[in-house]
Amino acid sequence: MTYDPTGHLLLTPVDHEAPARVRRLRELGLGEQPDPAFDEFAHRLADVTGAPFSMVNFIDENRQFFAGLHTPAGSHSGTDLGANAAGGGVGRFMARDHGYCPHVVVRRKALVLEDVCDYPRFAGNPVVDEIGIRSYMGAPLIDRTGVALGTICVVDTDVRPWGRAGLETIKAMAAELVEQIHRREDGLF
């Protein structure tokens, strides 16, 4: 477990690679605005996994940005995940200490939580109480330079038995999206 200097347990891992990630995201032109291709990818990810929410998520030092987002209602116009001020939309930004994608980026490995409440470290995350997230599955987007740019992930408000098939699916789709990002960088997209 990781503790801050005062001895308190940190629920979000320390991310020493964040400055390099931010530089690489800027170089690629990612992480600042929604992208229709990433929205389409998130929609397909939701279809493949049967999850109501899916994201293409880029992470900087302070926040997460959903460049691709799929929700059950299809609304994602707010600024924060959860109900927005206008009432009911899901937004493109979330604090870095909310959710599980920061763990995936730091670990550089896929993470499957069929019931987040089964894991004390993850059950205390703000998305459990504030949004009602009960299950999560995500995989890192590691580019050709070795930088973990962010994640793709799916979440549900119900417990989900993702299993080995879910893990293999999320990893394969992450590899597919990384190839798409590489084609963009090479000017082939």
Side-chain angles (χ1 to χ4, degrees), residues 76-90:
H76 39 272
S77 59
T79 57
D80 299 307
L81 189 62
N84 68 21
V90 172

Side-chain angles (χ1 to χ4, degrees), residues 6 13 24 44 67 88 94 111 144 157-158 165 174 181 184:
T6 64
R24 183 67 174 141
R44 193 162 58 84
M94 188 164 68
L111 176 64
R144 62 174 67 139
T157 55
D158 294 320
I181 291 168
R184 281 182 178 206

Side-chain angles (χ1 to χ4, degrees), residues 35-46:
D35 187 308
F38 293 154
D39 281 341
E40 180 55 37
F41 187 91
H43 177 72
R44 193 162 58 84
L45 179 60

